[in-house]
Coordinates of all heavy atoms in Angstrom, one line a residue:
M1 N -15.0 -3.5 -12.4 CA -13.7 -2.8 -12.1 C -13.1 -3.2 -10.8 O -13.8 -3.2 -9.8 CB -14.0 -1.3 -12.2 CG -12.7 -0.5 -12.0 SD -13.2 1.3 -12.2 CE -11.6 1.9 -12.4
Q2 N -11.9 -3.5 -10.8 CA -11.2 -4.0 -9.6 C -10.8 -2.8 -8.7 O -10.5 -1.8 -9.2 CB -10.0 -4.8 -9.9 CG -9.4 -5.5 -8.8 CD -8.2 -6.4 -9.2 OE1 -7.7 -6.2 -10.3 NE2 -7.8 -7.3 -8.4
K3 N -11.0 -3.0 -7.4 CA -10.6 -2.0 -6.4 C -9.4 -2.5 -5.6 O -9.3 -3.7 -5.5 CB -11.8 -1.7 -5.5 CG -13.0 -1.2 -6.2 CD -14.1 -0.7 -5.2 CE -14.4 -1.8 -4.2 NZ -15.6 -1.4 -3.4
V4 N -8.7 -1.6 -5.0 CA -7.5 -2.0 -4.2 C -8.0 -2.8 -3.0 O -7.2 -3.7 -2.5 CB -6.6 -0.8 -3.9 CG1 -5.9 -0.3 -5.1 CG2 -7.3 0.2 -3.1
Q5 N -9.2 -2.5 -2.5 CA -9.7 -3.3 -1.4 C -9.8 -4.8 -1.6 O -9.8 -5.6 -0.8 CB -11.0 -2.7 -0.9 CG -10.9 -1.4 -0.2 CD -10.7 -0.2 -1.2 OE1 -10.8 -0.3 -2.4 NE2 -10.4 1.0 -0.6
D6 N -9.9 -5.1 -2.9 CA -10.0 -6.5 -3.3 C -8.7 -7.3 -3.0 O -8.7 -8.5 -2.7 CB -10.2 -6.7 -4.8 CG -11.6 -6.1 -5.2 OD1 -12.5 -6.1 -4.4 OD2 -11.7 -5.8 -6.4
I7 N -7.6 -6.6 -2.9 CA -6.3 -7.2 -2.5 C -6.4 -7.7 -1.1 O -6.1 -8.9 -0.8 CB -5.1 -6.2 -2.6 CG1 -5.0 -5.8 -4.1 CG2 -3.9 -6.9 -2.1 CD1 -4.0 -4.6 -4.2
I8 N -7.0 -6.9 -0.2 CA -7.2 -7.3 1.2 C -8.2 -8.4 1.3 O -8.1 -9.3 2.1 CB -7.5 -6.1 2.1 CG1 -6.4 -5.0 2.0 CG2 -7.7 -6.5 3.5 CD1 -5.1 -5.4 2.5
R9 N -9.3 -8.3 0.5 CA -10.3 -9.3 0.6 C -9.8 -10.7 0.2 O -10.2 -11.7 0.7 CB -11.5 -8.9 -0.4 CG -12.8 -9.5 0.0 CD -14.0 -8.9 -0.8 NE -14.1 -7.5 -0.6 CZ -13.9 -6.6 -1.6 NH1 -13.5 -7.0 -2.8 NH2 -14.1 -5.3 -1.4
K10 N -8.9 -10.7 -0.8 CA -8.3 -12.0 -1.3 C -7.2 -12.5 -0.3 O -7.0 -13.7 -0.3 CB -7.7 -11.8 -2.7 CG -8.8 -11.6 -3.8 CD -8.1 -11.4 -5.1 CE -9.2 -11.1 -6.2 NZ -8.6 -10.8 -7.4
K11 N -6.6 -11.6 0.4 CA -5.5 -11.9 1.3 C -5.8 -11.3 2.6 O -5.1 -10.3 3.0 CB -4.1 -11.6 0.7 CG -3.8 -12.3 -0.6 CD -2.4 -11.9 -1.0 CE -2.0 -12.7 -2.2 NZ -0.6 -12.5 -2.5
P12 N -6.8 -11.7 3.4 CA -7.1 -11.1 4.6 C -6.0 -11.0 5.7 O -6.1 -10.2 6.6 CB -8.4 -11.9 5.1 CG -8.3 -13.2 4.4 CD -7.5 -12.9 3.1
Y13 N -5.0 -11.9 5.6 CA -3.9 -11.8 6.5 C -3.1 -10.6 6.4 O -2.3 -10.2 7.3 CB -3.0 -13.1 6.4 CG -2.5 -13.3 5.0 CD1 -1.3 -12.6 4.6 CD2 -3.1 -14.1 4.1 CE1 -0.8 -12.8 3.3 CE2 -2.6 -14.3 2.8 CZ -1.4 -13.6 2.4 OH -0.9 -13.8 1.2
L14 N -3.2 -9.8 5.3 CA -2.5 -8.6 5.2 C -3.0 -7.5 6.2 O -2.3 -6.6 6.6 CB -2.6 -8.0 3.8 CG -1.9 -8.8 2.7 CD1 -2.1 -8.2 1.3 CD2 -0.4 -8.9 3.0
A15 N -4.3 -7.6 6.5 CA -4.9 -6.7 7.5 C -5.8 -7.6 8.4 O -7.0 -7.4 8.4 CB -5.7 -5.6 6.8
W16 N -5.2 -8.5 9.1 CA -6.0 -9.5 9.8 C -6.9 -8.9 10.9 O -7.9 -9.5 11.3 CB -5.0 -10.5 10.5 CG -4.0 -9.9 11.3 CD1 -2.8 -9.5 10.9 CD2 -4.1 -9.6 12.7 NE1 -2.1 -8.9 12.0 CE2 -2.9 -9.0 13.1 CE3 -5.1 -9.8 13.7 CZ2 -2.7 -8.6 14.4 CZ3 -4.8 -9.4 15.0 CH2 -3.6 -8.8 15.3
Y17 N -6.6 -7.8 11.4 CA -7.3 -7.2 12.5 C -8.5 -6.3 12.0 O -9.2 -5.7 12.8 CB -6.4 -6.3 13.4 CG -5.6 -5.3 12.6 CD1 -6.1 -4.1 12.4 CD2 -4.3 -5.6 12.1 CE1 -5.4 -3.1 11.7 CE2 -3.6 -4.7 11.4 CZ -4.1 -3.5 11.2 OH -3.4 -2.6 10.5
V18 N -8.6 -6.2 10.7 CA -9.7 -5.3 10.1 C -10.9 -6.2 9.8 O -10.7 -7.3 9.2 CB -9.2 -4.6 8.8 CG1 -10.3 -3.9 8.1 CG2 -8.0 -3.7 9.2
R19 N -12.0 -5.8 10.2 CA -13.2 -6.6 10.0 C -13.7 -6.6 8.6 O -14.1 -7.6 8.0 CB -14.4 -6.0 10.9 CG -15.3 -7.0 11.3 CD -16.2 -6.5 12.4 NE -15.6 -6.9 13.7 CZ -16.2 -6.9 14.8 NH1 -17.5 -6.6 14.8 NH2 -15.6 -7.3 15.9
S20 N -13.6 -5.4 7.9 CA -14.1 -5.3 6.5 C -13.1 -4.5 5.7 O -12.8 -3.4 6.1 CB -15.5 -4.7 6.5 OG -15.9 -4.4 5.2
A21 N -12.7 -5.1 4.6 CA -11.8 -4.4 3.7 C -12.4 -3.2 3.0 O -11.8 -2.2 2.6 CB -11.2 -5.3 2.6
E22 N -13.8 -3.2 2.9 CA -14.5 -2.1 2.3 C -14.3 -0.8 3.0 O -14.3 0.3 2.3 CB -16.0 -2.4 2.2 CG -16.4 -3.5 1.2 CD -16.0 -3.1 -0.2 OE1 -16.2 -2.0 -0.6 OE2 -15.4 -4.0 -0.9
G23 N -14.1 -0.8 4.3 CA -13.9 0.4 5.0 C -12.5 1.0 5.0 O -12.3 2.1 5.4
L24 N -11.6 0.3 4.4 CA -10.2 0.8 4.3 C -10.0 1.8 3.2 O -10.5 1.6 2.1 CB -9.2 -0.4 4.1 CG -9.1 -1.4 5.2 CD1 -8.2 -2.5 4.8 CD2 -8.5 -0.7 6.4
S25 N -9.3 2.8 3.4 CA -8.9 3.8 2.4 C -7.9 3.3 1.5 O -7.2 2.3 1.9 CB -8.4 5.1 3.0 OG -7.2 4.9 3.7
D26 N -7.7 3.9 0.3 CA -6.6 3.5 -0.6 C -5.2 3.6 0.1 O -4.4 2.7 -0.1 CB -6.6 4.3 -1.8 CG -7.9 4.0 -2.7 OD1 -8.6 3.0 -2.4 OD2 -8.1 4.7 -3.7
E27 N -5.1 4.6 0.9 CA -3.8 4.8 1.6 C -3.5 3.7 2.6 O -2.4 3.2 2.7 CB -3.8 6.2 2.4 CG -3.8 7.4 1.5 CD -5.2 7.9 1.1 OE1 -6.2 7.2 1.4 OE2 -5.2 9.0 0.6
S28 N -4.6 3.3 3.3 CA -4.4 2.2 4.3 C -4.1 0.8 3.6 O -3.3 0.1 4.1 CB -5.7 2.1 5.1 OG -5.6 1.1 6.1
V29 N -4.8 0.6 2.5 CA -4.5 -0.6 1.7 C -3.1 -0.6 1.2 O -2.4 -1.6 1.4 CB -5.5 -0.8 0.6 CG1 -5.1 -2.0 -0.3 CG2 -6.9 -1.0 1.1
L30 N -2.6 0.5 0.7 CA -1.2 0.6 0.3 C -0.3 0.4 1.4 O 0.7 -0.4 1.2 CB -1.0 2.0 -0.4 CG 0.5 2.2 -0.9 CD1 0.8 1.2 -2.0 CD2 0.6 3.6 -1.4
E31 N -0.6 0.9 2.6 CA 0.3 0.7 3.7 C 0.4 -0.8 4.1 O 1.4 -1.3 4.3 CB -0.3 1.5 4.9 CG 0.5 1.3 6.2 CD -0.3 2.0 7.3 OE1 -0.5 3.2 7.2 OE2 -0.6 1.3 8.3
H32 N -0.7 -1.5 4.1 CA -0.8 -2.9 4.4 C 0.0 -3.7 3.3 O 0.7 -4.6 3.7 CB -2.2 -3.4 4.5 CG -2.8 -3.0 5.8 ND1 -3.6 -1.8 5.9 CD2 -2.8 -3.5 7.1 CE1 -4.0 -1.7 7.2 NE2 -3.5 -2.7 7.9
V33 N -0.2 -3.4 2.1 CA 0.4 -4.1 1.0 C 2.0 -3.9 1.1 O 2.7 -4.9 1.0 CB -0.1 -3.7 -0.4 CG1 0.7 -4.1 -1.5 CG2 -1.6 -4.2 -0.5
L34 N 2.4 -2.7 1.2 CA 3.9 -2.4 1.3 C 4.5 -3.0 2.5 O 5.6 -3.6 2.4 CB 4.1 -0.9 1.2 CG 3.7 -0.2 -0.1 CD1 4.2 1.2 0.0 CD2 4.3 -0.9 -1.3
N35 N 3.8 -3.0 3.6 CA 4.4 -3.5 4.9 C 4.4 -5.0 5.0 O 5.3 -5.7 5.5 CB 3.7 -2.9 6.1 CG 4.2 -1.6 6.5 OD1 5.4 -1.3 6.3 ND2 3.3 -0.8 7.0
Y36 N 3.3 -5.7 4.5 CA 3.1 -7.1 4.7 C 2.9 -7.9 3.5 O 2.9 -9.2 3.6 CB 1.9 -7.3 5.7 CG 1.9 -6.4 6.9 CD1 1.0 -5.4 7.1 CD2 2.9 -6.6 7.8 CE1 1.0 -4.6 8.2 CE2 3.0 -5.8 9.0 CZ 2.0 -4.8 9.2 OH 2.1 -4.1 10.3
G37 N 2.7 -7.3 2.3 CA 2.5 -8.1 1.1 C 3.8 -8.5 0.5 O 4.9 -8.2 0.9
N38 N 3.7 -9.1 -0.6 CA 4.8 -9.5 -1.4 C 4.9 -8.6 -2.7 O 4.0 -7.8 -2.9 CB 4.8 -11.0 -1.8 CG 3.6 -11.4 -2.6 OD1 3.0 -10.6 -3.3 ND2 3.1 -12.7 -2.4
W39 N 5.9 -8.9 -3.5 CA 6.1 -8.1 -4.7 C 4.9 -8.1 -5.6 O 4.5 -7.1 -6.3 CB 7.3 -8.4 -5.4 CG 7.7 -7.5 -6.5 CD1 7.7 -7.7 -7.8 CD2 8.1 -6.1 -6.3 NE1 8.1 -6.6 -8.5 CE2 8.3 -5.6 -7.6 CE3 8.2 -5.3 -5.2 CZ2 8.7 -4.3 -7.8 CZ3 8.6 -4.0 -5.4 CH2 8.8 -3.5 -6.7
E40 N 4.2 -9.3 -5.8 CA 3.1 -9.5 -6.6 C 1.9 -8.6 -6.1 O 1.2 -8.0 -6.9 CB 2.6 -10.9 -6.6 CG 1.4 -11.2 -7.5 CD 1.0 -12.7 -7.4 OE1 1.9 -13.5 -7.4 OE2 -0.2 -12.9 -7.4
D41 N 1.8 -8.5 -4.8 CA 0.7 -7.6 -4.2 C 1.0 -6.2 -4.6 O 0.0 -5.4 -4.9 CB 0.6 -7.8 -2.7 CG 0.3 -9.2 -2.3 OD1 -0.4 -9.9 -3.0 OD2 0.8 -9.6 -1.2
V42 N 2.2 -5.8 -4.5 CA 2.6 -4.4 -4.8 C 2.3 -4.1 -6.3 O 1.7 -3.1 -6.6 CB 4.1 -4.1 -4.5 CG1 4.5 -2.7 -5.1 CG2 4.4 -4.3 -3.1
Q43 N 2.6 -5.0 -7.2 CA 2.4 -4.9 -8.6 C 0.9 -4.9 -8.9 O 0.4 -4.1 -9.8 CB 3.1 -6.0 -9.4 CG 4.6 -5.9 -9.3 CD 5.1 -4.5 -9.7 OE1 4.8 -4.0 -10.8 NE2 5.9 -3.9 -8.9
T44 N 0.1 -5.6 -8.2 CA -1.4 -5.6 -8.3 C -1.9 -4.3 -8.0 O -2.8 -3.7 -8.7 CB -2.0 -6.7 -7.5 OG1 -1.5 -8.0 -7.9 CG2 -3.5 -6.7 -7.6
F45 N -1.5 -3.7 -6.8 CA -1.9 -2.4 -6.4 C -1.6 -1.4 -7.5 O -2.4 -0.6 -7.9 CB -1.2 -2.0 -5.1 CG -1.9 -0.8 -4.5 CD1 -2.8 -0.9 -3.5 CD2 -1.5 0.5 -4.9 CE1 -3.3 0.2 -2.9 CE2 -2.1 1.6 -4.4 CZ -3.0 1.5 -3.3
I46 N -0.4 -1.4 -8.0 CA 0.0 -0.5 -9.1 C -0.8 -0.6 -10.3 O -1.2 0.4 -11.0 CB 1.6 -0.6 -9.4 CG1 2.3 -0.1 -8.1 CG2 2.0 0.2 -10.6 CD1 3.8 -0.4 -8.2
K47 N -1.1 -1.9 -10.7 CA -2.0 -2.1 -11.9 C -3.3 -1.5 -11.7 O -3.9 -1.0 -12.7 CB -2.1 -3.6 -12.2 CG -0.8 -4.2 -12.8 CD -1.0 -5.7 -13.0 CE 0.4 -6.3 -13.4 NZ 0.3 -7.7 -13.5
I48 N -3.9 -1.6 -10.5 CA -5.2 -1.1 -10.3 C -5.2 0.5 -10.2 O -6.0 1.1 -10.8 CB -5.8 -1.6 -8.9 CG1 -6.0 -3.1 -9.0 CG2 -7.1 -0.9 -8.6 CD1 -6.3 -3.8 -7.7
K49 N -4.2 1.1 -9.5 CA -4.2 2.5 -9.3 C -3.3 3.3 -10.3 O -3.4 4.5 -10.4 CB -3.8 2.8 -7.9 CG -4.8 2.5 -6.8 CD -6.1 3.2 -7.0 CE -6.2 4.4 -6.3 NZ -7.6 5.0 -6.4
C50 N -2.4 2.6 -10.9 CA -1.4 3.1 -11.8 C -0.2 3.6 -11.0 O -0.3 4.0 -9.8 CB -1.9 4.2 -12.8 SG -1.9 5.9 -12.2
L51 N 0.9 3.6 -11.6 CA 2.2 4.0 -10.9 C 2.1 5.4 -10.3 O 2.5 5.7 -9.2 CB 3.4 3.8 -11.7 CG 4.8 4.1 -11.1 CD1 5.0 3.2 -9.9 CD2 5.9 3.9 -12.1
K52 N 1.7 6.4 -11.1 CA 1.6 7.8 -10.7 C 0.7 8.0 -9.4 O 1.1 8.6 -8.5 CB 1.2 8.6 -11.8 CG 1.2 10.1 -11.5 CD 0.7 10.9 -12.7 CE 0.7 12.4 -12.3 NZ 0.3 13.2 -13.4
E53 N -0.4 7.4 -9.5 CA -1.4 7.5 -8.3 C -0.8 6.8 -7.1 O -0.9 7.3 -6.0 CB -2.7 7.0 -8.7 CG -3.8 7.1 -7.6 CD -4.1 8.5 -7.2 OE1 -3.8 9.5 -7.9 OE2 -4.5 8.7 -6.0
T54 N -0.2 5.6 -7.3 CA 0.4 4.9 -6.2 C 1.5 5.7 -5.5 O 1.6 5.8 -4.3 CB 0.9 3.5 -6.6 OG1 -0.1 2.8 -7.2 CG2 1.5 2.7 -5.5
K55 N 2.3 6.3 -6.4 CA 3.4 7.2 -5.9 C 2.8 8.4 -5.1 O 3.3 8.7 -4.0 CB 4.2 7.7 -7.1 CG 5.2 8.8 -6.8 CD 5.9 9.3 -8.0 CE 6.8 10.5 -7.7 NZ 7.5 11.0 -8.9
N56 N 1.8 9.0 -5.6 CA 1.2 10.1 -5.0 C 0.6 9.7 -3.6 O 0.8 10.4 -2.6 CB 0.1 10.7 -5.8 CG 0.6 11.5 -7.0 OD1 1.8 11.8 -7.1 ND2 -0.3 11.7 -8.0
L57 N 0.0 8.5 -3.5 CA -0.6 8.0 -2.2 C 0.5 7.8 -1.2 O 0.5 8.2 -0.1 CB -1.4 6.7 -2.5 CG -2.7 6.9 -3.1 CD1 -3.3 5.5 -3.5 CD2 -3.7 7.6 -2.3
F58 N 1.6 7.2 -1.7 CA 2.8 6.9 -0.9 C 3.4 8.2 -0.3 O 3.6 8.3 0.9 CB 3.8 6.1 -1.6 CG 5.1 5.8 -0.8 CD1 5.1 4.8 0.2 CD2 6.2 6.6 -1.0 CE1 6.2 4.6 0.9 CE2 7.4 6.3 -0.3 CZ 7.4 5.4 0.7
N59 N 3.6 9.1 -1.2 CA 4.3 10.4 -0.8 C 3.4 11.2 0.1 O 3.9 11.8 1.0 CB 4.6 11.2 -2.1 CG 5.8 10.7 -2.8 OD1 6.7 10.1 -2.2 ND2 5.8 10.9 -4.1
K60 N 2.1 11.1 -0.1 CA 1.1 11.8 0.8 C 1.2 11.2 2.2 O 1.2 11.9 3.2 CB -0.3 11.6 0.3 CG -1.4 12.2 1.2 CD -2.7 11.9 0.5 CE -3.8 12.3 1.5 NZ -5.2 12.0 0.9
T61 N 1.3 9.8 2.3 CA 1.3 9.2 3.6 C 2.6 9.4 4.4 O 2.6 9.5 5.6 CB 1.0 7.7 3.6 OG1 1.9 7.1 2.7 CG2 -0.4 7.4 3.0
I62 N 3.7 9.5 3.7 CA 5.0 9.6 4.4 C 5.2 11.1 4.9 O 6.1 11.3 5.7 CB 6.2 9.1 3.6 CG1 6.4 9.9 2.3 CG2 6.1 7.6 3.3 CD1 7.8 9.6 1.6
K63 N 4.4 12.0 4.4 CA 4.5 13.4 4.9 C 3.7 13.7 6.1 O 3.7 14.8 6.6 CB 4.2 14.3 3.7 CG 5.2 14.3 2.6 CD 4.8 15.2 1.5 CE 5.9 15.1 0.4 NZ 5.5 15.7 -0.8
Q64 N 2.9 12.7 6.5 CA 2.0 12.9 7.7 C 2.8 12.8 9.0 O 3.9 12.2 8.9 CB 0.9 11.9 7.7 CG -0.1 12.0 6.5 CD -1.1 10.9 6.4 OE1 -1.1 10.0 7.2 NE2 -2.1 11.1 5.5
N65 N 2.2 13.3 10.0 CA 2.9 13.2 11.3 C 3.2 11.8 11.8 O 4.2 11.4 12.3 CB 2.1 13.9 12.4 CG 2.1 15.4 12.2 OD1 3.0 15.9 11.6 ND2 1.1 16.1 12.7
R66 N 2.2 10.9 11.6 CA 2.3 9.5 12.0 C 2.5 8.6 10.7 O 1.6 8.6 9.9 CB 1.1 9.1 12.8 CG 1.2 7.7 13.2 CD 0.0 7.3 14.1 NE 0.1 5.9 14.5 CZ -0.9 5.1 14.7 NH1 -2.1 5.6 14.5 NH2 -0.8 3.9 15.0
V67 N 3.6 8.0 10.6 CA 3.9 7.1 9.5 C 4.0 5.7 10.0 O 4.7 5.4 10.9 CB 5.2 7.5 8.8 CG1 5.5 6.6 7.6 CG2 5.1 9.0 8.3
N68 N 3.3 4.8 9.4 CA 3.2 3.4 9.8 C 4.1 2.4 9.0 O 4.0 1.2 9.1 CB 1.8 2.8 9.8 CG 0.9 3.5 10.9 OD1 1.4 3.8 12.0 ND2 -0.3 3.8 10.5
Y69 N 5.0 3.0 8.2 CA 6.0 2.2 7.5 C 7.2 2.0 8.3 O 7.7 2.9 9.0 CB 6.4 2.8 6.2 CG 5.2 3.0 5.2 CD1 4.8 4.2 4.8 CD2 4.7 1.9 4.6 CE1 3.7 4.4 3.9 CE2 3.7 2.0 3.6 CZ 3.2 3.2 3.3 OH 2.2 3.4 2.4
S70 N 7.8 0.8 8.3 CA 9.1 0.6 8.9 C 10.1 1.4 8.1 O 9.9 1.8 7.0 CB 9.5 -0.8 8.9 OG 9.8 -1.3 7.6
N71 N 11.2 1.7 8.8 CA 12.2 2.6 8.1 C 12.8 1.9 6.8 O 13.0 2.6 5.8 CB 13.4 2.8 9.0 CG 13.0 3.8 10.2 OD1 12.1 4.6 10.0 ND2 13.7 3.7 11.3
N72 N 12.9 0.6 6.8 CA 13.4 -0.1 5.6 C 12.4 0.0 4.5 O 12.8 0.3 3.3 CB 13.7 -1.5 5.9 CG 14.9 -1.7 6.8 OD1 15.8 -0.8 6.9 ND2 15.0 -2.8 7.4
I73 N 11.1 -0.2 4.8 CA 10.1 -0.1 3.7 C 10.0 1.3 3.2 O 9.9 1.5 2.0 CB 8.7 -0.6 4.3 CG1 8.8 -2.1 4.7 CG2 7.6 -0.3 3.4 CD1 9.0 -3.0 3.5
K74 N 10.0 2.2 4.1 CA 9.8 3.6 3.7 C 11.0 4.1 2.8 O 10.8 4.7 1.8 CB 9.8 4.5 5.0 CG 9.6 6.0 4.7 CD 9.6 6.8 6.0 CE 9.7 8.3 5.7 NZ 9.8 9.0 6.9
H75 N 12.2 3.7 3.2 CA 13.4 4.0 2.4 C 13.3 3.4 1.0 O 13.6 4.0 0.0 CB 14.6 3.6 3.2 CG 15.9 3.9 2.4 ND1 16.4 5.2 2.2 CD2 16.8 3.1 1.8 CE1 17.5 5.2 1.5 NE2 17.8 3.9 1.2
Y76 N 13.1 2.1 1.0 CA 13.0 1.4 -0.3 C 12.0 2.0 -1.3 O 12.3 2.3 -2.4 CB 12.7 -0.1 0.0 CG 12.7 -0.9 -1.3 CD1 13.8 -1.4 -1.9 CD2 11.5 -1.1 -2.0 CE1 13.8 -2.1 -3.1 CE2 11.4 -1.7 -3.2 CZ 12.6 -2.3 -3.8 OH 12.5 -2.9 -5.0
F77 N 10.8 2.1 -0.8 CA 9.7 2.6 -1.7 C 9.9 4.1 -2.0 O 9.4 4.6 -3.0 CB 8.4 2.2 -1.2 CG 8.1 0.8 -1.5 CD1 8.1 -0.1 -0.4 CD2 7.8 0.4 -2.7 CE1 7.9 -1.5 -0.7 CE2 7.5 -1.0 -3.0 CZ 7.6 -1.9 -2.0
D78 N 10.5 4.9 -1.1 CA 10.9 6.2 -1.4 C 11.8 6.3 -2.6 O 11.6 7.0 -3.6 CB 11.5 6.9 -0.2 CG 11.7 8.4 -0.4 OD1 10.8 9.0 -1.0 OD2 12.7 9.0 0.1
L79 N 12.8 5.4 -2.6 CA 13.7 5.3 -3.8 C 12.9 4.8 -5.0 O 13.1 5.3 -6.1 CB 14.9 4.3 -3.4 CG 15.9 4.8 -2.4 CD1 16.9 3.7 -2.1 CD2 16.6 6.1 -2.8
Y80 N 12.2 3.7 -4.8 CA 11.4 3.1 -5.9 C 10.5 4.1 -6.6 O 10.5 4.2 -7.9 CB 10.6 1.9 -5.4 CG 9.8 1.2 -6.5 CD1 10.4 0.3 -7.4 CD2 8.5 1.4 -6.6 CE1 9.7 -0.4 -8.3 CE2 7.7 0.8 -7.6 CZ 8.4 -0.1 -8.4 OH 7.6 -0.8 -9.4
F81 N 9.7 4.8 -5.9 CA 8.7 5.7 -6.5 C 9.3 7.1 -6.9 O 8.7 7.7 -7.8 CB 7.6 6.0 -5.5 CG 6.7 4.8 -5.2 CD1 6.4 4.4 -4.0 CD2 6.1 4.1 -6.3 CE1 5.6 3.3 -3.7 CE2 5.3 3.0 -6.1 CZ 5.0 2.7 -4.8
N82 N 10.5 7.4 -6.4 CA 10.9 8.8 -6.7 C 12.2 8.9 -7.5 O 12.9 9.8 -7.4 CB 11.1 9.6 -5.3 CG 9.7 9.8 -4.7 OD1 8.8 10.4 -5.3 ND2 9.6 9.3 -3.5
L83 N 12.6 7.8 -8.2 CA 13.7 7.8 -9.0 C 13.5 8.5 -10.3 O 12.5 8.6 -10.9 CB 14.3 6.4 -9.3 CG 15.0 5.8 -8.1 CD1 15.5 4.4 -8.5 CD2 16.2 6.7 -7.7

């Protein structure tokens, strides 16, 4: 079974400062994929977690006090996941 951490393992430049992808939460992997990945990476994440779960993870992270998405990324995916 494929895990979302496999995305970072295959493309370590998405989280170049992280020693091991295994320690990353699903929320953290999603953040790295949306901020630094391409559309294929986003679709791979959605295939692994499903659209509903990806949407839930995104919505959970943007409601926190500290949000690491740029304004453009946050706005785009807020529209994408919540239409």
Side-chain angles (χ1 to χ4, degrees):
M1 181 174 196
Q2 192 176 16
K3 300 186 308 186
V4 293
Q5 288 76 11
D6 294 336
I7 299 169
I8 303 296
R9 204 172 302 109
K10 290 177 185 175
K11 295 184 174 186
Y13 56 84
L14 293 176
W16 56 270
Y17 54 88
V18 175
R19 210 167 266 202
S20 171
E22 287 301 316
L24 293 175
S25 66
D26 292 351
E27 292 90 348
S28 181
V29 173
L30 179 61
E31 177 185 307
H32 286 91
V33 167
L34 296 185
N35 278 327
Y36 308 114
N38 59 30
W39 190 247
E40 182 181 319
D41 300 330
V42 174
Q43 294 305 307
T44 300
F45 191 100
I46 291 171
K47 285 178 188 172
I48 294 169
K49 289 304 265 188
C50 87
L51 182 60
K52 183 178 179 181
E53 180 63 23
T54 303
K55 173 185 172 179
N56 290 340
L57 289 171
F58 177 78
N59 286 331
K60 178 182 171 185
T61 58
I62 63 170
K63 290 178 182 166
Q64 296 176 352
N65 289 335
R66 182 175 176 214
V67 177
N68 292 322
Y69 294 113
S70 70
N71 288 334
N72 291 339
I73 295 293
K74 182 180 171 188
H75 178 71
Y76 178 85
F77 284 102
D78 189 37
L79 292 174
Y80 179 79
F81 290 128
N82 295 302
L83 284 180

